[in-house]
Amino acid sequence: MANVASCSSKLYFLDRTNGKFLKATRFLNEATWAKGVDETGRPILSGLIPTSEGTRICPGIEGATNWYSPSYNPETRMFYFLALENCNMFFSKPAEYKEGATYYSSGTKKIQTEAQHKILLAYSIPDGTLTWRYPQVGKGTSWGGTLATAGGLVLFGDDTGSFAAVDARTGHPLWEFNTGQTVRASPMSYEVDGVQYVAIAAGSDVISFSLPH
């Protein structure tokens, strides 16, 4: 009886009956804003703060997993999600607060000498561990989510602009179709006359495929 949730560097395992913290699993290679979590699941801050000269903090402003939707397969009992490995320079910009106006008093910049990249991850619910990682080839600009099917596939928008499928148990790549555009949506599935289809929105197009039948 648990729920899985993610923050900006860890996957949280909570008791769904009362919200009690059970476990947190770090899924980024580099996370500098916190040193870990305490017994209640609260982050233990590392003390890094934005400065006028700039402070390197990981993950960056886009977070580690954000818009891109995760999915779950009750057969494999795995949770599938995409994560972004990236760091930014965070700057403090003291500014006077004005009522009714947008207030940031800070800013961020990408670090030109560092590349960001996406990773598809599988988390085992019974074991509470990451089962496999499937790194993406690209610039880390895609925002597509995942779709887990009963047939043992995980479909997702690859960071190269492809609509791709991997084996749900192993992460082994099985198929891909180059859309030619950046994917910023999650896949979906539907059925017509007994035939299952999967579709993805890529750029201005919606592309649909039928599964073997």
Side-chain angles (χ1 to χ4, degrees):
M1 296 189 298
N3 283 346
V4 179
S6 59
C7 74
S8 60
S9 60
K10 294 183 183 296
L11 204 65
Y12 277 69
F13 208 71
L14 309 176
D15 188 315
R16 72 181 184 187
T17 65
N18 55 25
K20 182 180 178 181
F21 169 74
L22 300 175
K23 184 177 182 179
T25 302
R26 175 171 158 175
F27 59 83
L28 287 185
N29 288 327
E30 191 169 13
T32 62
W33 71 280
K35 297 181 289 185
V37 297
D38 62 22
E39 64 278 1
T40 68
R42 298 294 182 182
I44 302 171
L45 300 181
S46 63
L48 288 177
I49 60 172
T51 62
S52 57
E53 297 80 17
T55 302
R56 181 178 179 274
I57 299 177
C58 313
I61 189 67
E62 293 177 333
T65 182
N66 198 335
W67 173 265
Y68 12 103
S69 302
S71 58
Y72 174 70
N73 185 327
E75 292 295 325
T76 64
R77 300 187 71 184
M78 292 184 191
F79 181 77
Y80 306 97
F81 65 104
L82 283 150
L84 176 64
E85 290 273 6
N86 78 318
C87 303
N88 286 159
M89 296 297 289
F90 284 72
F91 298 86
S92 61
K93 297 180 179 180
E96 181 182 354
Y97 171 74
K98 295 181 180 179
E99 186 175 353
T102 301
Y103 180 77
Y104 293 111
S105 193
S106 64
T108 62
K109 286 185 179 180
K110 290 188 175 183
I111 303 172
Q112 299 302 321
T113 57
E114 296 184 11
Q116 60 181 28
H117 61 278
K118 282 294 203 34
I119 304 169
L120 176 64
L121 299 133
Y123 179 83
S124 171
I125 299 298
D127 300 333
T129 59
L130 293 170
T131 304
W132 51 258
R133 301 168 64 91
Y134 182 54
Q136 306 297 291
V137 177
K139 297 182 179 180
T141 57
S142 64
W143 285 69
T146 68
L147 169 69
T149 72
L153 300 177
V154 178
L155 296 127
F156 64 103
D158 186 272
D159 200 38
T160 62
S162 294
F163 187 27
V166 299
D167 185 290
R169 293 189 181 277
T170 66
H172 180 75
L174 301 173
W175 171 86
E176 68 175 36
F177 175 84
N178 185 5
T179 69
Q181 303 185 71
T182 300
V183 179
R184 300 185 181 277
S186 298
M188 66 167 289
S189 179
Y190 59 96
E191 181 182 323
V192 177
D193 295 330
V195 179
Q196 184 180 5
Y197 295 82
V198 291
I200 189 78
S204 59
D205 300 327
V206 176
I207 306 170
S208 182
F209 302 85
S210 66
L211 294 183
H213 61 280

